[in-house]
Amino acid sequence: DTAVSQTPKYLVTQMGNDKSIKCEQNLGHDTMYWYKQDSKKFLKIMFSYNNKELIINETVPNRFSPKSPDKAHLNLHINSLELGDSAVYFCASSPIGRGNEQFFGPGTRLTVL
Amino acid sequence: AQSVTQPDIHITVSEGASLELRCNYSYGATPYLFWYVQSPGQGLQLLLKYFSGDTLVQGIKGFEAEFKRSQSSFNLRKPSVHWSDAAEYFCAVGPSGGYNKLIFGAGTRLAVHP
């Protein structure tokens, strides 16, 4: 059973389009995250939700909008895609509490042409 | 500000050789420290974690790490590397800002020669 799953695995699209990435976890965790990994493999947090409430919102363009319909799902919608949005996006989840292990999904490779 | 430095971008070792990956952190209080591994095309998997107690931490796949507060370091070691250990390794520190936010280092790519 996949613990943290993301769809799609690959996403190729044109500049200016709007796209969504979906994430689901079946671990029963309260907290979910979105990370962006750039072409140099640098990994940076974008957002975190705890039980559907936004708790971390890094300096991310407002073209990025996370949505958590329930605590098992955290989707990422991106409007007006730009070339610089090309990256691998990882979803993760963890139990509530400081210092708990984060479990990562397999990633979604987004390529903007 | 919290930060993590992994001085080695790329390391190559021979199969069976020992390995040490370096990690230095900057953190205002006692940190949680993590090592994650990312195999090609995969997500990140936790190797080990430290918060308190014994400063030598054992992890999965035969890895261990030692926390040295005086050096602000948390280096990852393995006595004998296997070809399957070739991957990207990330050190992380947290939490930051009152939540379970991790700050990651830039990663070290490990190549293993047969």
Side-chain angles (χ1 to χ4, degrees), chain A residues 9 31 33 35 37 40-43 45 55-56 58 90 94-95 97-107, chain B residues 27 32 34 36 38 41-46 49 88 90 94-102 104-107 109:
Chain A
K9 190 169 176 62
T31 310
Y33 313 80
Y35 286 86
Q37 186 176 47
K40 295 185 178 177
K41 299 283 189 175
F42 185 67
L43 199 66
I45 191 167
I55 56 171
I56 296 174
E58 292 295 286
F90 286 100
S94 75
R98 294 160 59 85
N100 283 318
E101 174 187 353
Q102 296 183 19
F103 292 78
F104 283 78
Chain B
Y27 195 82
Y32 286 88
F34 305 81
Y36 281 86
Q38 183 181 22
Q42 304 294 317
L44 279 73
Q45 180 184 22
L46 182 71
K49 160 185 160 180
E88 192 91 22
F90 293 92
S96 174
Y99 298 106
N100 199 20
K101 173 182 163 183
L102 297 182
F104 281 85
R109 175 162 291 186

Side-chain angles (χ1 to χ4, degrees), chain A:
Chain A
D1 250 0
T2 304
V4 182
S5 59
Q6 296 179 228
T7 53
K9 190 169 176 62
Y10 299 97
L11 188 51
V12 181
T13 188
Q14 300 287 330
M15 273 175 51
N17 284 350
D18 303 337
K19 291 294 178 186
S20 292
I21 306 172
K22 295 186 176 182
C23 178
E24 176 181 4
Q25 55 95 3
N26 62 6
L27 298 167
H29 292 161
D30 290 297
T31 310
M32 297 184 72
Y33 313 80
W34 277 112
Y35 286 86
K36 179 180 180 181
Q37 186 176 47
D38 63 23
S39 58
K40 295 185 178 177
K41 299 283 189 175
F42 185 67
L43 199 66
K44 192 172 190 302
I45 191 167
M46 301 172 67
F47 302 103
S48 177
Y49 270 74
N50 183 58
N51 205 6
K52 303 193 295 176
E53 179 187 351
L54 181 65
I55 56 171
I56 296 174
N57 186 352
E58 292 295 286
T59 311
V60 177
N62 58 15
R63 298 182 293 103
F64 289 78
S65 53
K67 284 187 171 53
S68 182
D70 56 61
K71 73 174 193 176
H73 296 85
L74 180 60
N75 303 324
L76 183 64
H77 189 75
I78 315 171
N79 289 327
S80 304
L81 278 155
E82 300 177 357
L83 293 176
D85 297 331
S86 295
V88 181
Y89 292 85
F90 286 100
C91 178
S93 73
S94 75
I96 193 169
R98 294 160 59 85
N100 283 318
E101 174 187 353
Q102 296 183 19
F103 292 78
F104 283 78
T108 295
R109 182 174 292 277
L110 171 65
T111 302
V112 182
L113 304 175

Side-chain angles (χ1 to χ4, degrees), chain B residues 3-108:
Chain B
S3 65
V4 178
T5 302
Q6 294 181 244
D8 306 305
I9 296 172
H10 192 194
I11 283 183
T12 300
V13 299
S14 298
E15 192 168 17
S18 63
L19 171 71
E20 183 169 31
L21 302 182
R22 295 182 293 165
C23 173
N24 293 96
Y25 67 90
S26 171
Y27 195 82
T30 302
Y32 286 88
L33 293 159
F34 305 81
W35 275 101
Y36 281 86
V37 60
Q38 183 181 22
S39 298
Q42 304 294 317
L44 279 73
Q45 180 184 22
L46 182 71
L47 287 175
L48 47 78
K49 160 185 160 180
Y50 172 80
F51 176 60
S52 63
D54 192 346
T55 56
L56 186 62
V57 181
Q58 301 298 320
I60 63 171
K61 304 186 181 189
F63 285 92
E64 66 178 27
E66 186 170 13
F67 171 62
K68 293 186 177 180
R69 184 186 299 276
S70 61
Q71 298 177 18
S72 297
S73 69
F74 188 57
N75 295 347
L76 182 71
R77 300 194 295 247
K78 186 169 185 178
S80 177
V81 170
H82 189 262
W83 64 265
S84 60
D85 293 324
E88 192 91 22
Y89 291 80
F90 293 92
C91 182
V93 66
S96 174
Y99 298 106
N100 199 20
K101 173 182 163 183
L102 297 182
I103 307 295
F104 281 85
T108 297

